[in-house]
């Protein structure tokens, strides 16, 4: 594979005028309605909003797992929306990490084998040290040989984070990464994400319903009906974020 992709402003993600519509039946559903947003390199952004507000669609489009109907997306200096299918896939594998609520680890593979998977899919043989470094990064260096079933939910999600980081992506997207975890595990995963930003300058964008997770972010975006309707900067307390959430729960 000879395709090389360079990113000058690693970690910066810019979405401009993003529209995404679905037509599951007779009627068109507008999941994203002219969304323009920028995620600065080395920052931690939380995305909140009621169910169906377009959070997952936004993440999928930004990560290149889905294509918008209108608008452009830039990751670093690469406009991903104008890449052909094949180049987009290679770009996504190498430059974008994605963590899902359901961990999505392969049950028959050990932690280290799961972490190695994205590199193998990219046709590369991962160095043992790289795998160890990725597991160390999430505090699981001593769990390399464990199967997912031998790990707690929080540990499994941290393996999923290590797997998402193995190719050193410009940006890490997480869609409700703590949604299936108890409070304690959830806080550990949160600390992990925050550390990645603070220590490694990783750009992290996460969807969450947890005001405590959002309060740890540098910026909180609120979506409603496919639009960004509000935004808090760093320092917003969990209480204030929780109060903003009740406006749509009411
Ligand atoms: P959220 O993650 O905030 O709950 P989503 O982005 O999943 O919201 O969905 C936004 C809207 O788009 C919803 O109305 C949802 O039903 C619709 N939608 C999302 N994905 C699809 C799809 N693949 N097919 C049809 N409708 C979809
Ligand atoms: Mg969702």
């Amino acid at each position: 594979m000879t395709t090389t992709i360079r990113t000058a402003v690693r970690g910066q993600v810019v979405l401009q005028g993003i529209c995404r519509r679905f037509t599951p039946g007779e009627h068109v559903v507008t999941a994203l309605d002219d969304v323009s947003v920028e995620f600065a390199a080395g920052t931690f952004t939380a995305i909140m909003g009621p169910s169906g507000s377009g959070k997952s669609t936004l993440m999928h489009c930004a990560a290149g797992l889905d294509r918008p109907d209108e608008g452009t997306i830039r990751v670093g200096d690469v406009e991903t929306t104008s890449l052909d299918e094949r180049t987009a896939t290679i770009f996504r594998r190498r430059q974008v990490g994605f963590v899902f609520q359901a961990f999505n680890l392969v049950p028959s593979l050990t932690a280290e084998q799961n972490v190695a998977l994205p590199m193998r899919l990219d046709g590369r043989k991962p160095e043992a040290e790289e795998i160890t470094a990725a597991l160390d990064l999430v505090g699981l260096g001593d769990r390399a040989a464990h199967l997912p079933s031998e790990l707690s939910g929080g540990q499994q999600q941290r393996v999923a984070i290590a797997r998402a980081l193995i190719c050193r992506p410009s940006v890490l997207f997480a869609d409700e990464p703590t949604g299936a975890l108890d409070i304690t595990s959830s806080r550990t995963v949160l600390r992990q994400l925050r550390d990645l930003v603070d220590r490694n300058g990783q750009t992290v964008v996460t969807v969450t319903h947890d005001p405590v997770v959002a309060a740890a972010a540098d910026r909180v975006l609120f979506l409603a009906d496919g639009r960004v309707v509000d935004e808090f900067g760093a320092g917003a307390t969990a209480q204030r974020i929780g109060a903003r959430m009740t406006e749509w729960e009411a």
Side-chain angles (χ1 to χ4, degrees), residues 51-52 54-57 60 175-176 207 209:
S51 174
K55 304 180 297 297
S56 292
T57 307
H60 293 162
D175 195 352
E176 300 189 41
V207 170
H209 291 295

Side-chain angles (χ1 to χ4, degrees), residues 20-25 29-32 47-60 66 175-176 207 209 223 226:
R20 181 70 173 108
R21 303 175 199 94
F22 295 103
T23 316
V29 175
T30 302
L32 294 175
I47 296 179
M48 306 190 89
S51 174
S53 58
K55 304 180 297 297
S56 292
T57 307
L58 179 69
M59 301 287 278
H60 293 162
D66 187 16
D175 195 352
E176 300 189 41
V207 170
H209 291 295
L223 284 191

Side-chain angles (χ1 to χ4, degrees), residues 153-175:
Q155 290 170 334
Q156 289 182 58
Q157 189 59 300
R158 281 148 67 201
V159 172
I161 292 171
R163 180 182 56 182
L165 294 171
I166 191 65
C167 293
R168 300 174 186 275
S170 302
V171 51
L172 176 68
F173 293 102
D175 195 352

